[in-house]
Amino acid sequence: MRAARLIKMVLLLQSRPSMTAAELARELEVSERTVTRDAQALSEAGVPVYADRGRIGGYRLVGGYRTRLTGLARGEAEALFLSGVPGALREMGLEDAASAARLKVSAALSPSLRDASRTAAQRFHLDAPNWFSEPETPELLPAVADAVWDDRRVTARYRRDGGEVERELEPYGLVLKAGVWYLCARVSGGGSFRVYRIDRFTAVEAGAERFERAEDFDLPAFWGERAEQFARSILRAEVVVRLSAEGVRRLPYAVDAAAAREALVRAGEPDGGGWVTVTLLVESEEVAHDQLMSLGAEVEVLAPSALRERFVAGAVRLAELYGR
């Protein structure tokens, strides 16, 4: 433990001109007294750590000292490619590996490039969770992530249709979609590839046996295809609406964007008032009501009659409320 901390301290000092004891203590998650002792230990081991005294003093390496301890371990190299998603790294238990990898890369760069990670982080940031929802990390996510990294078969129990089912799975990849974690896995024994929500797992046990990955499996392509299939599968109802020019513009933001584009492509020419009639696929009449309500007076529901009646009843209630 201490050896790893000493190496990290050298790499930190190598990547920056100097650091205060407080800064080192914060980075190493130790006390300033421990930093002082570690600096003394490094000096006794021949690493030229120099302490500047005074209010603006700190620690630095003397004479352009460079360590060769910058080789990336496999786990660090893999985590480095995910470093643009800090929240995801933290939830999978890979934050420390990514931090070590970034530090080693920074230490290996020339002095003029050592601030590249900081300047990039100040310009680009990926915020994966959805708005207005507090993301919850599934308890079993780290165990699933370990199995994915290690290509280890897992025996998993998950909730489905009010009960629990047990499967032996080959975990191929993880996907974070709008704050929700999914596992793309193949049922062991040559089964099909499926998608599972991590928060529905109730137990995950990794075995000692590794599985051999299918070389032609492409996680982004697989997810894109399944996501499109899912989006289409839930659009089971059909509604007919009239849209003003403003309604046409806002429709893709109110309902499924792909369904809106397809409906508008099939639509006829605008009438004399500039309104367009479209047939739109929706999840259900209830969902369509909530979605189309956001368009206000820019949409008129023509069919089905039950949905039109809901809009009429809602309009009457609003008129009564605001007409008082």
Side-chain angles (χ1 to χ4, degrees):
M1 182 70 177
R2 191 189 186 199
R5 190 175 71 241
L6 292 174
I7 292 173
K8 186 174 182 179
M9 184 174 180
V10 173
L11 293 173
L12 283 167
L13 293 174
Q14 184 173 310
S15 64
R16 307 179 194 181
S18 67
M19 295 183 70
T20 65
E23 290 173 334
L24 284 167
R26 187 167 54 251
E27 290 281 354
L28 299 172
E29 299 180 347
V30 295
S31 66
E32 293 186 31
R33 180 172 296 182
T34 299
V35 168
T36 301
R37 288 198 297 265
D38 286 352
Q40 180 65 31
L42 287 171
S43 180
E44 292 173 356
V47 178
V49 178
Y50 181 78
D52 291 315
R53 306 296 180 184
R55 185 172 58 85
I56 59 173
Y59 293 92
R60 60 185 175 88
L61 293 175
V62 179
Y65 177 83
R66 305 283 292 176
T67 178
R68 298 291 183 181
L69 299 174
T70 54
L72 292 179
R74 180 176 179 84
E76 294 170 347
E78 291 171 334
L80 183 62
F81 286 100
L82 294 173
S83 58
V85 197
L89 282 168
R90 183 170 54 254
E91 292 176 8
M92 289 189 291
L94 298 173
E95 188 174 27
D96 289 343
S99 175
R102 287 193 297 269
L103 185 57
K104 289 181 179 181
V105 170
S106 179
L109 294 173
S110 64
S112 63
L113 297 177
R114 284 180 193 160
D115 66 342
S117 61
R118 181 185 61 81
T119 56
Q122 293 303 316
R123 288 163 173 79
F124 302 100
H125 176 68
L126 177 60
D127 185 9
N130 206 348
W131 286 104
F132 313 119
S133 61
E134 189 67 28
E136 294 184 4
T137 303
E139 182 180 350
L140 296 174
L141 176 60
V144 176
D146 285 345
V148 170
W149 284 118
D150 239 6
D151 292 339
R152 291 190 182 276
R153 286 190 174 90
V154 298
T155 300
R157 294 185 62 83
Y158 65 98
R159 296 186 299 273
R160 190 181 72 175
D161 299 330
E164 286 193 359
V165 179
E166 183 173 292
R167 292 282 186 275
E168 186 177 85
L169 302 174
E170 297 174 355
Y172 268 68
L174 290 168
V175 175
L176 177 60
K177 171 71 171 178
V180 179
W181 284 96
Y182 297 88
L183 172 67
C184 300
R186 183 166 64 179
V187 178
S188 294
S192 59
F193 284 96
R194 301 179 184 178
V195 176
Y196 303 86
R197 277 186 61 143
I198 301 295
D199 57 8
R200 292 180 183 169
F201 283 114
T202 59
V204 173
E205 183 178 351
E209 184 182 1
R210 286 186 169 89
F211 64 91
E212 187 172 340
R213 282 177 166 264
E215 294 184 1
D216 58 350
F217 179 79
D218 185 326
L219 179 59
F222 171 79
W223 175 259
E225 179 182 343
R226 287 304 174 92
E228 183 177 355
Q229 290 176 0
F230 173 75
R232 289 183 176 277
S233 70
I234 64 174
L235 301 179
R236 303 186 181 96
E238 190 175 271
V239 299
V240 182
V241 299
R242 290 177 68 238
L243 297 162
S244 68
E246 177 64 12
V248 168
R249 185 188 71 80
R250 289 165 51 186
L251 184 65
Y253 303 99
V255 301
D256 180 81
R261 287 193 296 268
E262 291 180 7
L264 293 172
V265 167
R266 295 194 304 267
E269 294 297 321
D271 61 19
W275 287 63
V276 176
T277 300
V278 302
T279 300
L280 178 69
L281 288 174
V282 294
E283 185 174 344
S284 66
E285 289 186 18
E286 290 76 14
V287 172
H289 176 265
D290 294 341
Q291 293 175 330
L292 295 174
M293 277 289 289
S294 66
L295 299 181
E298 308 303 327
V299 61
E300 178 189 2
V301 175
L302 302 179
S305 59
L307 180 58
R308 180 179 175 87
E309 289 169 4
R310 290 187 63 173
F311 271 84
V312 171
V316 170
R317 289 197 301 272
L318 286 173
E320 291 174 348
L321 177 64
Y322 287 98
R324 292 173 183 171

